[in-house]
Amino acid sequence: MKVVTFGELMLRLSPPDNNRIMQSKSFNSSYAGSEANVSVSLSRFGIQSKFISALPSNIIGHTALSQLRYHGVDTSDILFKEGRIGIYFVESGYSQRPSLVVYDRKSSVIANTKTTDYNWKTIFESNDWFHFSGITPALSKELSQACENALIEAKKMGLRVSCDLNFRNKLWSKEKASSVMRRYMKYIDVLIGNEEDAKIIFGFDYTDNDSQKVKINEYEIIMKEINKNYGIKKIYFTLRESISATKNHWGSIGYDGEEFFLSNKYEIEILDRLGAGDSFAAGIIYSEINDFSTQKSINFATAASCLKHTIHEDFNIVTLEEVFDLMNGPGTGRIKR
Amino acid sequence: MKVVTFGELMLRLSPPDNNRIMQSKSFNSSYAGSEANVSVSLSRFGIQSKFISALPSNIIGHTALSQLRYHGVDTSDILFKEGRIGIYFVESGYSQRPSLVVYDRKSSVIANTKTTDYNWKTIFESNDWFHFSGITPALSKELSQACENALIEAKKMGLRVSCDLNFRNKLWSKEKASSVMRRYMKYIDVLIGNEEDAKIIFGFDYTDNDSQKVKINEYEIIMKEINKNYGIKKIYFTLRESISATKNHWGSIGYDGEEFFLSNKYEIEILDRLGAGDSFAAGIIYSEINDFSTQKSINFATAASCLKHTIHEDFNIVTLEEVFDLMNGPGTGRIKR
Amino acid sequence: MKVVTFGELMLRLSPPDNNRIMQSKSFNSSYAGSEANVSVSLSRFGIQSKFISALPSNIIGHTALSQLRYHGVDTSDILFKEGRIGIYFVESGYSQRPSLVVYDRKSSVIANTKTTDYNWKTIFESNDWFHFSGITPALSKELSQACENALIEAKKMGLRVSCDLNFRNKLWSKEKASSVMRRYMKYIDVLIGNEEDAKIIFGFDYTDNDSQKVKINEYEIIMKEINKNYGIKKIYFTLRESISATKNHWGSIGYDGEEFFLSNKYEIEILDRLGAGDSFAAGIIYSEINDFSTQKSINFATAASCLKHTIHEDFNIVTLEEVFDLMNGPGTGRIKR
Amino acid sequence: MKVVTFGELMLRLSPPDNNRIMQSKSFNSSYAGSEANVSVSLSRFGIQSKFISALPSNIIGHTALSQLRYHGVDTSDILFKEGRIGIYFVESGYSQRPSLVVYDRKSSVIANTKTTDYNWKTIFESNDWFHFSGITPALSKELSQACENALIEAKKMGLRVSCDLNFRNKLWSKEKASSVMRRYMKYIDVLIGNEEDAKIIFGFDYTDNDSQKVKINEYEIIMKEINKNYGIKKIYFTLRESISATKNHWGSIGYDGEEFFLSNKYEIEILDRLGAGDSFAAGIIYSEINDFSTQKSINFATAASCLKHTIHEDFNIVTLEEVFDLMNGPGTGRIKR
Amino acid sequence: MKVVTFGELMLRLSPPDNNRIMQSKSFNSSYAGSEANVSVSLSRFGIQSKFISALPSNIIGHTALSQLRYHGVDTSDILFKEGRIGIYFVESGYSQRPSLVVYDRKSSVIANTKTTDYNWKTIFESNDWFHFSGITPALSKELSQACENALIEAKKMGLRVSCDLNFRNKLWSKEKASSVMRRYMKYIDVLIGNEEDAKIIFGFDYTDNDSQKVKINEYEIIMKEINKNYGIKKIYFTLRESISATKNHWGSIGYDGEEFFLSNKYEIEILDRLGAGDSFAAGIIYSEINDFSTQKSINFATAASCLKHTIHEDFNIVTLEEVFDLMNGPGTGRIKR
Amino acid sequence: MKVVTFGELMLRLSPPDNNRIMQSKSFNSSYAGSEANVSVSLSRFGIQSKFISALPSNIIGHTALSQLRYHGVDTSDILFKEGRIGIYFVESGYSQRPSLVVYDRKSSVIANTKTTDYNWKTIFESNDWFHFSGITPALSKELSQACENALIEAKKMGLRVSCDLNFRNKLWSKEKASSVMRRYMKYIDVLIGNEEDAKIIFGFDYTDNDSQKVKINEYEIIMKEINKNYGIKKIYFTLRESISATKNHWGSIGYDGEEFFLSNKYEIEILDRLGAGDSFAAGIIYSEINDFSTQKSINFATAASCLKHTIHEDFNIVTLEEVFDLMNGPGTGRIKR
């Protein structure tokens, strides 16, 4: 089984040691992007994974590509063009101080690509799965169209398709996002998201009560509606409860059109939560590819993404064995010698 | 509104990465001091803030001054003289291991200044507020007199005056501190401190019971007495409950001569707690300058100083917006994109 | 009172800043080993402590030796020979992600030493205590015999002997370990370990219930049996309850042949838990040398090893004063100025 | 005497320790720009210096501004607007490996400002000198016009004006640069540059012979022509001879309309050569303000900029005393205790 | 054109910042090996390059493999087995202080592989070139045989073969090396080495005079003999003149059986000279593949390996363009913007 | 042979990576002092070496002591007292930028010790050599007297005595230094220094000509006079020629009362030149202890101290073998594998 993902790869700059940007004289640098994160995680699970994107034809672009290769991602179809890489600055939060993300991604090289730059027929050849998130169509009109082309071609060629809602309000309006994403839904086999994004995209307006129980009800109503309206068979939502920037509760809910399943839940001390949603998506894709039951799927994806919170940078550098150990074990973190 | 503060600026040396001094081959360096910390915090809130001090006329002194300028503090009246800067070594504690502070501040350049080095009339011109802490008069007899001169001149020129009790037993005896600080009280409009310092300075001897409720009672008694004896209208005490070196509960109590107010309370995971009291003082001064209600004042100052615990070094590098967000929001540290 | 310990000293390589090995381009380096850790801790408590081992006669070996000298350990009887130092890689865990230890210790210089390399009579001269752990005999047949020679000579010369069970399944089988360690028991005055190792070595097979209370019962049964079968008068077991890789509960139980004692218990936020057992052993040896009561012994050793969890690397760099402060105080980690 | 400079301030990202970008996981960060560099150098010499620019109204922009304040630059007239900061990546060369600069400065916040954003009359009030470089007009048409407005106003208000040619071929064509810069010349009192830029801007086409002596002849011809054609009284060119990325010879030539002067020459081992030209410009401005002779001016500016090569980042953090020591001494770098 | 190389990949540990091992508490880590270095350099030149080796099936082995993938090397035929990775410690020299390399490579996982682990027929399929160095056969008898098998198969399948003499006296005796390497010579198309290794392997014993001119004569005599005795058509030797650990002169000599060619010569300030010989070999292979003249080949390979001296770690991370720029340009290291 | 040295041990703080203090946010920390440096160097040569000093009884003092123990120095007679450690800040120079040393050593704990704190009879027992430098008597009157007491006792007990002139003008005047040091000369067997210090102490006033040849003449005249006036049999002066902060020529001259000897000369690229004089002194003491000829002594000491320039921090961490290799070899820094 081979997976193709499509999206932007950005340079991530974060001050070391929990420092604020204002008090730091250096940045740790890494490269990340929602779909690239999925590809890396799948590759670390042993799944062949190809990432489609565009990078600047300079030393930064080549370094970015090398980082994906490091993790075994197939980068052979990435475009190199004149231009700039998108950048985002991350200040890791701590306790009551929130993490801060400042984007500088406008006019990035991928945002300036054309639909004709992507030959989906060739790209998809001998691949089995296509994944993208709501960030890619938000980058430009051309990319929005490129996504749609990819979806049409993917279905034509028999690939299964997953989509992570991933709404970014700095990139497009709720109305625009809602209209575009809904249009895509008919191509989607597996939908991944969280409550907030689902409400924005699908227009739900439930009051946010304090009781966690009620929330689960809300999730179920939303999922049922999506299933009913768009015929998406598998829907997975993450459940995050923020205690502080350094402590979260983490779980997920899955719906297979008939039943709802709640995953194991984790109380996480957070090292770096960026990329958590993407690592969940990768966990779901891995589960679907391996025909896990819905219950096992959410348990696997939740354990995988729980571990992501304990790893610096966006990539979920964990092995299958580590995910299964957490998923099946007590999760007490005893030393492995 | 413009604020003048007066005190010592020291070089702070801390081993990186939670290391003990004995296992480290480097120190992170920064510059701090109770009153300088207040000035920096006010400046970051947008308040014009001038710091009065003396620094050695060498590269260390000029670097120290530059650090204040970095944060927008007015350093134009800082004296440069032959001598040394005070130094303190900080080993950040962790869990049951306490933080360790080793002072090497004797014979610092400010401790050797004379009362005649400070022309308060010129310094205070077109300023509105004067702040100092109990550390400044403890540094030398001359500085004790300089403080008193400043207080007299401040009142004469119509500035409001705040004082943070800040007792340091390495600098002077309880008796000496008590006698000097009480003498200053008639000039003070806003008194800031904590229970322990208040007891030492004002001679209270309540038993320290386990019940938090009883403690509040004690605070109220102490505050009423201070109000009664010295006519200070606004009194603010921080309430710290230490769970471990890395976890504290944090709140505050305010008294306006009539009513007592308890602030929001925070359970904090601590990155660096030095300067927390100073960031509270800055929050109070900001609140007073902006005529916040007593309740709003302690909520603002407590939120501000809560954030300080999550930031390395003594300076509270936070914006007004960040304080208000914490003060008015759930404090769950969700990412800001 | 002077203490001799005997074992391997290894190079420890850990990626900085909680990074995984796969994402790091550097390693923090230190030197550690179960018995060396005990020697360092005792030396920091003011006890004269000699470490017996073999190191490669190259720059790495000399650096390793210097690290022990740094902490005041007597290294004058350490052998230098052609060969390699054992190495272990440590990835510090976080929350649900376990710490990972990868050993590369085969064919180390000490594993290739002969029994004749150790003249125990000379080594033990004017010493009072001998300590080793179950790791040393596991390194090679020759070392297993060298341990036995040491035990025989130690008893002959009137030294008291302590042993930390320390089973390492990468080094030898349970059967082999059990057979060798039981053979040593007749020489042991003070036995140190934990439940798991005791079960492996002494062949107990109790079911591991959830209730902590039942566990204590199990411990008591095990300890009584050991006392009965081998006549060991003092037995100390650590009690670790893992919540996550970054949070553990920590305590201990002591048995003096008549009564069982439970120590103070600590809820620890962990910086680095390697060497915790060794710091407990050092605490016990210090207590025994100073004739502490069994209750005081376990309180002292538990406080000492609680602090180890809050210090990077294996060595427990704490002073007696710091241990007593934690042992007798509230353990709330308030700043020491 | 007060100096105003006008230009872009960028974020500079350089891998530490002479690493290439492709092998590094972090960047040292600083902020720099040709005119900002001049302002910082002048401020460190004790000259009041105001920098005019536009910065993004986010944490990056505020950090950039703080860096200038750190060095005492007056930042009160800097504009804050929505947008991005220009970025450049610097790979420090070594021996035969050249330094590499990758710009990502398109669509920066200053490039999008309008001429109407700059009220030169107010800005220049009570200032004596205006400095800019050829980079500023190259950023956009609006900035090209803003420069011209500034020049007109400066002359009207009696400020002296200096210009550093600073041609950047990534920003505009030689033809465009030549046409715009020549148009400005009538406003310029002091022209600073190097041979290459002068040839590009003023259209000289001398063959580049190997003999240094001939080159000096060329310089003289070029300078005389400029003096003749534009009436610029003071012209200063730096003379760089590259041996390798880590070794350069450095000197300068000055022309006062009558005589040519050659400066002291230095054989420099280079730590970081970015900003060298700007530090020379600052040295010239300082010299002109202090009415140094042409010979003393080039000696001062050359010594100042020689020191810049030995300091990391673009800012020339040196004191007047250090420049005079080098200018008047043997330059043998003996320790100052 | 595709190239296969065969050899050991080791973990390299070097103290940062020119520190000695004894004064450092950390190591920079990278992965290197003579043939792996060649593969990486070729891959960075755009040549498809496959590396054959064995790595431990643990996190260290997988990290090592990822580092090769980072640079685009085909790692699909690398074996994973239980065992350890070879390690070497590098202390970078400075001026008169020599660099120090301490090997800990005994019993590495590759040294324990069998000839049957390598199916050369499959490995060489659709490849055009095979390269190895004298280190590989020195690792074990099995590897010596594996090399011979590879050579036989390579010739049978029509691959061209290059060999870098690379004598390591820690691995085998001069006699053994001489006997084995001479046996291989009949399979070699392109021989790479330096004078010292050639003398050891081929048994020359010329006196080492001071005059460089005489040395060239010696080289010519040696090369002619090798050409005559073994029929190797292309022989390339590097010419290193050590001034100090931080300054070397660097050039090369090539012989095509008819004429001798001397390359451009470089006076290099050294950042890290490990891997220089390997980068020369990669340069030669690239030249041969592209049918460069002998003169152009040595100029290209010498320029490439000159640049290696200016880059940290063993890998020669340079582009073709950078090599050509140095080879054809003045080599004065002027900034590239 | 055992050596005692007596002096101050200070905390050295240097910004990393050649940064200036003003641009750095951290300091590398080490501990050094002229006589401590000598002890460490001797200890690394295998000579038993005891250091006499006083340190503050806090974590800084204990860390300082541990650093000496690390290198094998006997620290058993070091005094611990309330007080502060002397500190010095070092900015490493580069090319034309001089190194900068800022002292903050006033009122250090050793400067406040009394002559009665030092029982020289006990200290010197079973020792053979006493060394001190001109810094120790300059610290205070008491220390000046303590030095004299030590000298008297040393001669009484038959120790040989060496003295390094080491004049520090921040500590005492030339007149005071001259008067005290001359008084000590009758106790000195081996005098170490440089031309400048000798002129200051012994009142020579030769003109400093450019010609190196003339300088040697001057040295000879000075040395003869000292030999004649004070009867010192062995006099060794270092010869430093500063080209820049990063390049020096280094040699030495020795006089045995009859003949003058010039050492090998080295052109050094400097990493850190602090402690070079002390490493020369250690080399001389080692040579004298081993009865080297005067020629061999200066060659050994010069080679040893040449290597010091290539090592960070003040301690000369080199082995005997490394010194002999440089002394007898070509000094071309070829890799040692």
Side-chain angles (χ1 to χ4, degrees), chain F residues 7-18:
Chain F
E8 181 168 17
L9 184 61
M10 291 189 285
L11 169 59
R12 168 185 159 154
L13 297 171
S14 322
D17 299 328
N18 288 300

Side-chain angles (χ1 to χ4, degrees), chain F residues 309-326:
Chain F
H309 290 79
T310 72
I311 296 171
H312 279 302
E313 301 170 5
D314 286 50
F315 293 164
N316 193 23
I317 312 177
V318 292
T319 62
L320 277 182
E321 189 195 359
E322 290 171 326
V323 178
F324 284 124
D325 276 3
L326 175 55

Side-chain angles (χ1 to χ4, degrees), chain E residues 36-277:
Chain E
N37 299 347
V38 170
S39 276
V40 165
S41 181
L42 287 171
S43 179
R44 283 287 162 208
F45 288 159
I47 301 289
Q48 283 195 41
S49 166
K50 178 154 70 174
F51 179 59
I52 306 301
S53 192
L55 288 170
S57 51
N58 59 22
I59 187 65
I60 305 296
H62 285 285
T63 302
L65 177 128
S66 296
Q67 286 292 352
L68 294 181
R69 269 197 318 216
Y70 183 85
H71 293 293
V73 174
D74 178 350
T75 59
S76 55
D77 281 341
I78 291 180
L79 306 165
F80 278 93
K81 290 174 175 287
E82 283 295 305
R84 68 181 297 265
I85 199 168
I87 297 176
Y88 66 115
F89 299 89
V90 179
E91 224 184 62
S92 277
Y94 205 88
S95 201
Q96 281 80 6
R97 177 166 60 82
S99 288
L100 200 64
V101 178
V102 176
Y103 288 103
D104 173 20
R105 68 195 301 178
K106 267 188 198 151
S107 306
S108 69
V109 74
I110 189 177
N112 292 329
T113 53
K114 304 292 169 201
T115 56
T116 50
D117 287 324
Y118 305 96
N119 186 338
W120 294 109
K121 203 167 173 180
T122 316
I123 289 168
F124 286 147
E125 206 169 346
S126 78
N127 279 283
D128 308 283
W129 194 286
F130 175 59
H131 174 81
F132 74 109
S133 88
I135 294 171
T136 309
L139 294 173
S140 74
K141 269 186 200 172
E142 289 278 334
L143 282 182
S144 167
Q145 186 57 54
C147 275
E148 199 150 3
N149 295 352
L151 290 170
I152 293 165
E153 191 65 38
K155 297 320 292 182
K156 202 185 296 177
M157 295 175 68
L159 284 79
R160 292 181 70 194
V161 172
S162 57
C163 170
D164 185 341
L165 291 174
N166 248 347
F167 173 70
R168 289 284 183 275
N169 72 338
K170 291 276 172 64
L171 291 176
W172 56 0
S173 68
K174 294 184 179 183
E175 294 68 32
K176 184 76 188 160
S178 185
S179 132
V180 169
M181 295 300 286
R182 290 190 200 188
R183 205 169 69 223
Y184 292 168
M185 284 303 125
K186 63 172 162 286
Y187 308 106
I188 308 300
D189 298 295
V190 175
L191 185 67
I192 300 156
N194 59 32
E195 191 197 21
E196 195 187 347
D197 288 356
K199 285 179 176 170
I200 288 164
I201 299 302
F202 298 108
F204 294 93
D205 186 34
Y206 293 91
T207 49
D208 187 14
N209 294 332
D210 271 352
S211 156
Q212 180 71 10
K213 193 162 178 299
V214 173
K215 268 180 157 169
I216 297 296
N217 279 346
E218 284 189 17
Y219 277 103
E220 295 186 0
I221 293 165
I222 294 169
M223 288 169 133
K224 271 186 185 162
E225 289 266 345
I226 295 172
N227 170 264
K228 201 183 67 185
N229 294 342
Y230 304 99
I232 299 171
K233 272 170 275 174
K234 294 290 189 73
I235 309 176
Y236 299 95
F237 284 180
T238 56
L239 307 174
R240 181 187 297 281
E241 201 182 335
S242 288
I243 312 305
S244 76
T246 18
K247 189 177 292 179
N248 279 193
H249 294 176
W250 181 249
S252 65
I253 181 169
Y255 179 56
D256 60 6
E258 299 186 358
E259 261 184 285
F260 294 95
F261 299 86
L262 280 175
S263 76
N264 294 330
K265 227 175 137 182
Y266 298 99
E267 185 177 323
I268 311 177
E269 295 156 90
I270 299 172
L271 201 58
D272 187 336
R273 54 151 286 188
L274 273 77

Side-chain angles (χ1 to χ4, degrees), chain D residues 215-232:
Chain D
K215 268 178 155 173
I216 296 297
N217 280 346
E218 284 189 18
Y219 277 103
E220 295 187 0
I221 294 166
I222 294 169
M223 288 169 132
K224 271 187 184 160
E225 289 267 346
I226 296 172
N227 170 263
K228 201 182 68 186
N229 294 341
Y230 305 99
I232 299 171

